[in-house]
Amino acid sequence: MLAPEQTVTAILRHQGAEQTAAAPMWIGIPPLIGDLLPQSSVAVGQPIQLQAEIAGPGPLNTVWDLGDGRRLELTEPSVVFPAAGQYHVALYVTNPAGTVSRSATVTVLPDPVASFRPDDDAPAIAQPVTFVNATQK
């Protein structure tokens, strides 16, 4: 596998004399951010796990802007919003090739949020379906 940081060497030859110079060079690609924030609503005081699908050569630096003045340099922080409202949450991921960002809106409700999902996303006709409680506590 090719490492994203390589040493590039230049050779200058002129009238029988030769000089060389070497320098490290990053030849990787900028990071990529896939899906962001699987949960888009939460109640005041409930923790929400901020998550994103991140890919690309490292080293990677991640910074979450929570939309309320807080910035966290963590990969998957669990945060609590103290007041109801809509927060524009942004993720910035940086490597030596550049910085990319992706954002989403988190709605913080004044009351607890109930969340359920079926145990089978494609049940057969007349098949019983059990709903799983996915409410964050």
Side-chain angles (χ1 to χ4, degrees):
M1 181 176 173
L2 183 64
E5 186 171 321
Q6 297 288 314
T7 300
V8 176
T9 303
I11 302 172
L12 176 63
R13 293 184 184 114
H14 181 68
Q15 297 179 348
E18 183 177 292
Q19 286 195 324
T20 62
M25 178 180 269
W26 180 267
I27 57 173
I29 61 171
L32 303 169
I33 302 174
D35 289 336
L36 184 64
L37 298 176
Q39 183 180 351
S40 61
S41 63
V42 67
V44 170
Q46 281 186 321
I48 183 172
Q49 182 79 40
L50 302 180
Q51 297 175 325
E53 294 176 0
I54 301 170
L60 297 173
N61 181 37
T62 58
V63 176
W64 289 89
D65 182 333
L66 303 182
D68 63 359
R70 294 182 289 169
R71 291 176 66 90
L72 303 173
E73 293 187 31
L74 299 169
T75 304
E76 293 186 353
S78 180
V79 298
V80 173
F81 288 95
Q86 288 195 328
Y87 295 87
H88 183 76
V89 175
L91 172 63
Y92 300 90
V93 180
T94 303
N95 72 7
T99 299
V100 295
S101 66
R102 187 147 185 179
S103 61
T105 300
V106 174
T107 302
V108 179
L109 304 171
D111 298 312
V113 177
S115 177
F116 296 90
R117 61 179 171 73
D119 65 345
D120 186 348
D121 290 335
I125 295 174
Q127 174 186 339
V129 176
T130 301
F131 288 88
V132 178
N133 182 2
T135 304
Q136 291 194 357
K137 296 176 183 172

